[in-house]
Amino acid sequence: MNSGSLTVALLLEDISLAKEFSDIFRELGVVPHFYEDLNSFWNGTLEILPTLSLIDVKKMHEGDLLLKNHPFVVNEQMPMAFYFTTGSAPLLHSTFDFLNLGTILQGANYKGQMKSILKRLNKILSYEHKLSNLELEKGKLSNQVRGLIEVSQVYKEDNYFEKYLKNIFHKFDTNKKTSFDFFSVCETVFSELQDIIEFSYVELSSNGQRLVSPEGQSMKYVSIPSLFLGKTCKQGIAEFAQNMSSQVAVELLGGEVMSLNITGVEANPDIILYLRLSDFELAEKVDWTSLESHLNGVYAYFKESGKATIKREARFITPWEAFSLFDKQVKMASMGDIKNQYALIDIDLSELIQTVRIGDCGEFSWKEFFQDFVTRVTSSFSYELKFMSMGVANLGVVCDHEHVDQVMTHLKNVSVRFSYWRYFEQSDALLSKNLKPDIKMIPASAEAYLLHVEDVKFSAIDELESIAIKKKTKDIVWGKAPERTL
């Protein structure tokens, strides 16, 4: 057992006894969490399920609250051991209905008794780990084995499934040219396939500490709740995280779930796709390993185009350059020359910036967001675009006037589909928030854009009058020192 992954909850009546058990666990490199009453234990273990709970038999009920009614006790997910004394021994009969790892008697060799319990726990966890891995590999292995056995008898059938798979390949290759990212092409193709009832999609958050699902538009798409991993995955989705997400996916989608690992440059997958199929025979006959390999190629296509380095000299101009360009354009138009006109579109990110400043969602990856947002706009669009920054919240886009309708449509599509939540440390709190930018066409003149930005800024300042945001801003800028003025 890896002590670094072991979590222990103590529900004991005697604080001195709790300290004695804490010392035993500390020798194993584990700091247990001590609860004084059943109510706090109940709430705490609902948030984070401990690897092991040590419970005093006298603490199994508290008023109307009964340990046996705890959700994780009812579904036998909580490994438990019970502490008792000679005086409380009659209460042990209540534990016979529970799935538990044993009992610990007062005054006996605590280390020896605990060692025996931990051995049983370690064995159970080992079996669960092996079982989870076997379940994940079952679909792929059974498909390969049965295919070899029946290859001489079912040629026509195999030919049908081969064509079926080639049709899926063709759909992905066709749709990737018009899709914004890997998720959008998966959503398009899987939504069209009648044999796929539901599908899910998980990837690592930007800090590698959570598994998250993007927002989807398809009725078939099932978003998996954000999963806190407890430790950082630095080289793709680690095996323990794969097992965790697979268990949740099976619960959400059902037992017959096909998993596809999408791998980039890391040894572990970057993305895991889960598919629930309408036909069990389809799960058996289709070569899902080939589909997995093909999807890795599609993913590499978007990875290469979507992560291109922003070439500042080619993509960006300063507001000073843009305003000079607009003034020249206005002057030429006044003389009747309306050729080569430019249009200006503003991307207002005020809602996103305000959410970041409030700070309820943890750290925000500023650089990664800006890099990904701009490259997403440019990598999937054929017309030339120029960007200019008017502060953090306003990003101007300059394009040829004859293409402005296409640019507006493209920017709105990107803004709707972009996964803003990926760049927040804690994405769960964003579910009720609208972070999509406001996109407007602005007259291509310095005065018009300055007036527009000034209005946005003053509106933002008005909203910052809320006590929470104002205090948060003050603390960030000035710290705890007295307020200073110039």
Side-chain angles (χ1 to χ4, degrees):
M1 182 187 302
N2 183 3
S3 61
S5 62
L6 180 66
T7 57
V8 177
L10 302 178
L11 177 56
L12 300 172
E13 189 175 51
D14 188 350
I15 296 180
S16 62
L17 180 65
K19 183 179 183 305
E20 190 170 351
F21 278 109
S22 294
D23 292 339
I24 295 175
F25 284 109
R26 287 176 187 274
E27 291 180 8
L28 299 174
V30 179
V31 180
H33 194 99
F34 172 61
Y35 297 94
E36 297 186 53
D37 54 76
L38 181 57
N39 183 59
S40 60
F41 173 83
W42 189 293
N43 295 327
T45 53
L46 277 179
E47 292 183 8
I48 301 178
L49 177 63
T51 311
L52 175 64
S53 297
L54 179 58
I55 301 169
D56 192 327
V57 293
K58 292 186 290 185
K59 307 290 285 184
M60 291 192 300
H61 65 86
E62 182 180 299
D64 295 333
L65 203 59
L66 300 176
L67 177 65
K68 68 178 183 179
N69 294 331
H70 191 291
F72 291 146
V73 175
V74 173
N75 61 19
E76 299 184 341
Q77 284 185 273
M78 182 185 295
M80 297 180 293
F82 293 95
Y83 169 82
F84 72 102
T85 66
T86 54
S88 63
L91 297 176
L92 281 176
H93 77 277
S94 299
T95 68
F96 297 158
D97 296 330
F98 301 156
L99 176 65
N100 65 80
L101 300 173
T103 59
I104 295 178
L105 174 63
Q106 179 193 32
N109 183 349
Y110 291 145
K111 285 187 178 180
Q113 295 182 85
M114 187 57 65
K115 183 178 180 181
S116 177
I117 289 172
L118 290 177
K119 281 186 176 181
R120 289 193 288 272
L121 176 62
N122 190 41
K123 203 68 175 177
I124 291 174
L125 293 178
S126 175
Y127 285 141
E128 288 181 350
H129 180 71
K130 292 178 181 178
L131 181 61
S132 178
N133 287 339
L134 289 173
E135 286 294 327
L136 289 175
E137 296 297 327
K138 179 181 177 182
K140 298 177 184 178
L141 292 176
S142 62
N143 179 41
Q144 294 172 1
V145 171
R146 295 188 186 191
L148 290 173
I149 295 174
E150 299 174 0
V151 65
S152 61
Q153 304 174 4
V154 289
Y155 172 76
K156 292 182 179 180
E157 189 178 72
D158 285 350
N159 188 49
Y160 165 79
F161 287 111
E162 182 179 350
K163 290 182 178 179
Y164 179 85
L165 195 57
K166 287 183 178 180
N167 178 55
I168 296 178
F169 292 169
H170 177 71
K171 286 181 178 292
F172 271 101
D173 291 339
T174 301
N175 284 280
K176 74 179 183 182
K177 300 175 183 178
T178 56
S179 298
F180 296 116
D181 55 17
F182 181 70
F183 172 71
S184 63
V185 71
C186 288
E187 189 176 37
T188 300
V189 174
F190 292 147
S191 298
E192 294 176 354
L193 295 174
Q194 296 181 354
D195 297 306
I196 294 180
I197 301 175
E198 292 178 322
F199 69 97
S200 288
Y201 181 110
V202 294
E203 60 185 341
L204 284 171
S205 60
S206 58
N207 61 8
Q209 296 177 357
R210 289 176 181 267
L211 283 179
V212 293
S213 291
E215 296 180 7
Q217 307 294 324
S218 171
M219 295 294 290
K220 291 185 178 182
Y221 177 67
V222 178
S223 178
I224 293 180
S226 176
L227 300 177
F228 180 68
L229 302 177
K231 52 185 177 181
T232 303
C233 292
K234 297 182 179 180
Q235 296 181 333
I237 305 175
E239 186 175 352
F240 81 93
Q242 296 176 37
N243 294 337
M244 185 185 300
S245 68
S246 297
Q247 291 172 5
V248 176
V250 168
E251 291 179 5
L252 289 176
L253 301 181
E256 295 299 331
V257 176
M258 185 66 61
S259 65
L260 301 174
N261 292 339
I262 310 304
T263 306
V265 296
E266 304 293 350
N268 296 318
D270 291 354
I271 296 165
I272 304 178
L273 290 168
Y274 298 103
L275 310 177
R276 183 161 76 93
L277 308 175
S278 62
D279 188 355
F280 179 77
E281 186 180 13
L282 196 66
E284 295 288 328
K285 300 300 182 182
V286 171
D287 185 2
W288 296 103
T289 303
S290 296
L291 177 58
E292 191 176 68
S293 298
H294 190 81
L295 290 180
N296 278 311
V298 177
Y299 178 63
Y301 167 83
F302 284 103
K303 196 76 171 175
E304 181 179 353
S305 61
K307 289 291 184 181
T309 303
I310 299 176
K311 297 180 179 180
R312 183 167 299 276
E313 68 275 11
R315 301 288 188 198
F316 284 87
I317 57 176
T318 67
W320 308 91
E321 293 174 293
F323 290 168
S324 295
L325 186 68
F326 297 157
D327 287 348
K328 181 179 179 181
Q329 178 173 279
V330 171
K331 183 178 180 181
M332 292 176 63
S334 66
M335 295 184 295
D337 186 356
I338 56 173
K339 296 180 180 180
N340 302 319
Q341 293 287 297
Y342 293 99
L344 172 63
I345 299 172
D346 177 63
I347 303 176
D348 181 7
L349 296 162
S350 297
E351 291 295 329
L352 175 68
I353 302 304
Q354 183 179 345
T355 301
V356 175
R357 295 181 68 183
I358 292 174
D360 292 341
C361 302
E363 184 180 351
F364 181 71
S365 301
W366 295 91
K367 179 182 177 181
E368 289 77 8
F369 163 75
F370 186 73
Q371 171 85 24
D372 291 353
F373 186 81
V374 173
T375 52
R376 179 66 55 79
V377 171
T378 56
S379 64
S380 55
F381 198 59
S382 56
Y383 297 120
E384 181 181 2
L385 303 175
K386 297 285 188 181
F387 297 88
M388 65 171 175
S389 176
M390 292 290 287
V392 178
N394 291 88
L395 184 65
V397 179
V398 181
C399 64
D400 291 335
H401 194 277
E402 62 179 307
H403 303 142
V404 67
D405 291 338
Q406 296 95 314
V407 175
M408 280 288 289
T409 300
H410 175 67
L411 292 177
K412 289 182 178 180
N413 287 336
V414 171
S415 69
V416 168
R417 301 300 298 271
F418 194 79
S419 300
Y420 304 93
W421 46 266
R422 290 189 68 244
Y423 303 90
F424 287 88
E425 182 180 12
Q426 301 172 10
S427 58
D428 293 347
L430 299 171
L431 295 178
S432 60
K433 297 181 182 293
N434 178 20
L435 303 180
K436 299 177 179 62
D438 187 20
I439 298 176
K440 293 182 179 179
M441 183 175 176
I442 308 298
S445 75
E447 181 63 16
Y449 198 35
L450 287 171
L451 288 174
H452 170 73
V453 172
E454 288 168 0
D455 180 63
V456 170
K457 296 305 178 187
F458 283 121
S459 298
I461 291 174
D462 292 338
E463 292 184 21
L464 287 175
E465 288 299 321
S466 76
I467 296 175
I469 301 177
K470 190 173 182 180
K471 183 178 184 304
K472 184 74 176 179
T473 305
K474 178 182 175 182
D475 289 345
I476 292 174
V477 175
W478 300 112
K480 301 300 181 182
E483 185 172 348
R484 289 158 284 181
T485 58
L486 294 177

PDB file of all heavy atoms in Angstrom, residues 349 353 366 389-395 457:
ATOM      1  N   LEU A 349     -13.972  40.840 -23.125  1.00  0.00           N
ATOM      2  CA  LEU A 349     -13.778  39.752 -22.175  1.00  0.00           C
ATOM      3  C   LEU A 349     -14.041  40.183 -20.737  1.00  0.00           C
ATOM      4  O   LEU A 349     -13.528  39.570 -19.789  1.00  0.00           O
ATOM      5  CB  LEU A 349     -12.349  39.219 -22.292  1.00  0.00           C
ATOM      6  CG  LEU A 349     -11.977  38.581 -23.635  1.00  0.00           C
ATOM      7  CD1 LEU A 349     -10.467  38.503 -23.787  1.00  0.00           C
ATOM      8  CD2 LEU A 349     -12.584  37.210 -23.758  1.00  0.00           C
ATOM      9  N   ILE A 353     -12.847  38.411 -17.123  1.00  0.00           N
ATOM     10  CA  ILE A 353     -11.878  39.098 -16.279  1.00  0.00           C
ATOM     11  C   ILE A 353     -12.462  39.368 -14.895  1.00  0.00           C
ATOM     12  O   ILE A 353     -11.782  39.221 -13.869  1.00  0.00           O
ATOM     13  CB  ILE A 353     -11.421  40.429 -16.931  1.00  0.00           C
ATOM     14  CG1 ILE A 353     -10.801  40.150 -18.315  1.00  0.00           C
ATOM     15  CG2 ILE A 353     -10.428  41.148 -16.043  1.00  0.00           C
ATOM     16  CD1 ILE A 353      -9.650  39.179 -18.296  1.00  0.00           C
ATOM     17  N   TRP A 366      -3.382  32.818 -17.190  1.00  0.00           N
ATOM     18  CA  TRP A 366      -3.530  33.971 -18.093  1.00  0.00           C
ATOM     19  C   TRP A 366      -2.865  33.714 -19.452  1.00  0.00           C
ATOM     20  O   TRP A 366      -3.491  33.869 -20.500  1.00  0.00           O
ATOM     21  CB  TRP A 366      -2.908  35.207 -17.453  1.00  0.00           C
ATOM     22  CG  TRP A 366      -3.570  35.692 -16.211  1.00  0.00           C
ATOM     23  CD1 TRP A 366      -3.285  35.343 -14.923  1.00  0.00           C
ATOM     24  CD2 TRP A 366      -4.661  36.639 -16.123  1.00  0.00           C
ATOM     25  NE1 TRP A 366      -4.113  35.995 -14.052  1.00  0.00           N
ATOM     26  CE2 TRP A 366      -4.956  36.809 -14.751  1.00  0.00           C
ATOM     27  CE3 TRP A 366      -5.395  37.349 -17.074  1.00  0.00           C
ATOM     28  CZ2 TRP A 366      -5.956  37.661 -14.315  1.00  0.00           C
ATOM     29  CZ3 TRP A 366      -6.380  38.215 -16.630  1.00  0.00           C
ATOM     30  CH2 TRP A 366      -6.665  38.355 -15.274  1.00  0.00           C
ATOM     31  N   SER A 389      -4.512  44.968 -28.767  1.00  0.00           N
ATOM     32  CA  SER A 389      -4.971  44.867 -27.387  1.00  0.00           C
ATOM     33  C   SER A 389      -5.248  46.252 -26.824  1.00  0.00           C
ATOM     34  O   SER A 389      -4.384  47.125 -26.833  1.00  0.00           O
ATOM     35  CB  SER A 389      -3.915  44.153 -26.537  1.00  0.00           C
ATOM     36  OG  SER A 389      -4.304  44.138 -25.189  1.00  0.00           O
ATOM     37  N   MET A 390      -6.488  46.425 -26.338  1.00  0.00           N
ATOM     38  CA  MET A 390      -6.855  47.677 -25.663  1.00  0.00           C
ATOM     39  C   MET A 390      -7.076  47.347 -24.179  1.00  0.00           C
ATOM     40  O   MET A 390      -8.200  47.301 -23.680  1.00  0.00           O
ATOM     41  CB  MET A 390      -8.127  48.255 -26.279  1.00  0.00           C
ATOM     42  CG  MET A 390      -7.941  48.746 -27.696  1.00  0.00           C
ATOM     43  SD  MET A 390      -6.918  50.246 -27.800  1.00  0.00           S
ATOM     44  CE  MET A 390      -8.064  51.462 -27.159  1.00  0.00           C
ATOM     45  N   GLY A 391      -6.011  47.039 -23.476  1.00  0.00           N
ATOM     46  CA  GLY A 391      -6.133  46.596 -22.102  1.00  0.00           C
ATOM     47  C   GLY A 391      -6.387  45.101 -22.062  1.00  0.00           C
ATOM     48  O   GLY A 391      -6.377  44.415 -23.072  1.00  0.00           O
ATOM     49  N   VAL A 392      -6.639  44.596 -20.862  1.00  0.00           N
ATOM     50  CA  VAL A 392      -6.823  43.157 -20.695  1.00  0.00           C
ATOM     51  C   VAL A 392      -8.173  42.699 -21.206  1.00  0.00           C
ATOM     52  O   VAL A 392      -8.316  41.624 -21.777  1.00  0.00           O
ATOM     53  CB  VAL A 392      -6.661  42.775 -19.205  1.00  0.00           C
ATOM     54  CG1 VAL A 392      -6.903  41.285 -19.010  1.00  0.00           C
ATOM     55  CG2 VAL A 392      -5.273  43.149 -18.718  1.00  0.00           C
ATOM     56  N   ALA A 393      -9.213  43.512 -21.015  1.00  0.00           N
ATOM     57  CA  ALA A 393     -10.579  43.049 -21.279  1.00  0.00           C
ATOM     58  C   ALA A 393     -11.021  43.217 -22.730  1.00  0.00           C
ATOM     59  O   ALA A 393     -12.012  42.626 -23.132  1.00  0.00           O
ATOM     60  CB  ALA A 393     -11.556  43.780 -20.356  1.00  0.00           C
ATOM     61  N   ASN A 394     -10.329  44.017 -23.519  1.00  0.00           N
ATOM     62  CA  ASN A 394     -10.771  44.289 -24.883  1.00  0.00           C
ATOM     63  C   ASN A 394      -9.702  43.904 -25.896  1.00  0.00           C
ATOM     64  O   ASN A 394      -8.559  44.364 -25.819  1.00  0.00           O
ATOM     65  CB  ASN A 394     -11.121  45.769 -25.059  1.00  0.00           C
ATOM     66  CG  ASN A 394     -12.369  46.139 -24.289  1.00  0.00           C
ATOM     67  OD1 ASN A 394     -12.282  46.501 -23.128  1.00  0.00           O
ATOM     68  ND2 ASN A 394     -13.524  46.043 -24.924  1.00  0.00           N
ATOM     69  N   LEU A 395     -10.100  43.034 -26.823  1.00  0.00           N
ATOM     70  CA  LEU A 395      -9.205  42.589 -27.888  1.00  0.00           C
ATOM     71  C   LEU A 395      -9.840  42.968 -29.217  1.00  0.00           C
ATOM     72  O   LEU A 395     -10.918  42.494 -29.567  1.00  0.00           O
ATOM     73  CB  LEU A 395      -8.990  41.081 -27.803  1.00  0.00           C
ATOM     74  CG  LEU A 395      -8.004  40.465 -28.797  1.00  0.00           C
ATOM     75  CD1 LEU A 395      -6.589  40.993 -28.534  1.00  0.00           C
ATOM     76  CD2 LEU A 395      -8.016  38.947 -28.685  1.00  0.00           C
ATOM     77  N   LYS A 457     -15.135  50.253 -19.704  1.00  0.00           N
ATOM     78  CA  LYS A 457     -14.325  50.380 -18.500  1.00  0.00           C
ATOM     79  C   LYS A 457     -15.136  51.001 -17.364  1.00  0.00           C
ATOM     80  O   LYS A 457     -15.071  50.558 -16.220  1.00  0.00           O
ATOM     81  CB  LYS A 457     -13.080  51.230 -18.773  1.00  0.00           C
ATOM     82  CG  LYS A 457     -12.123  50.615 -19.793  1.00  0.00           C
ATOM     83  CD  LYS A 457     -11.715  49.220 -19.396  1.00  0.00           C
ATOM     84  CE  LYS A 457     -10.795  48.597 -20.444  1.00  0.00           C
ATOM     85  NZ  LYS A 457     -10.536  47.190 -20.146  1.00  0.00           N
TER      86      LYS A 457
END
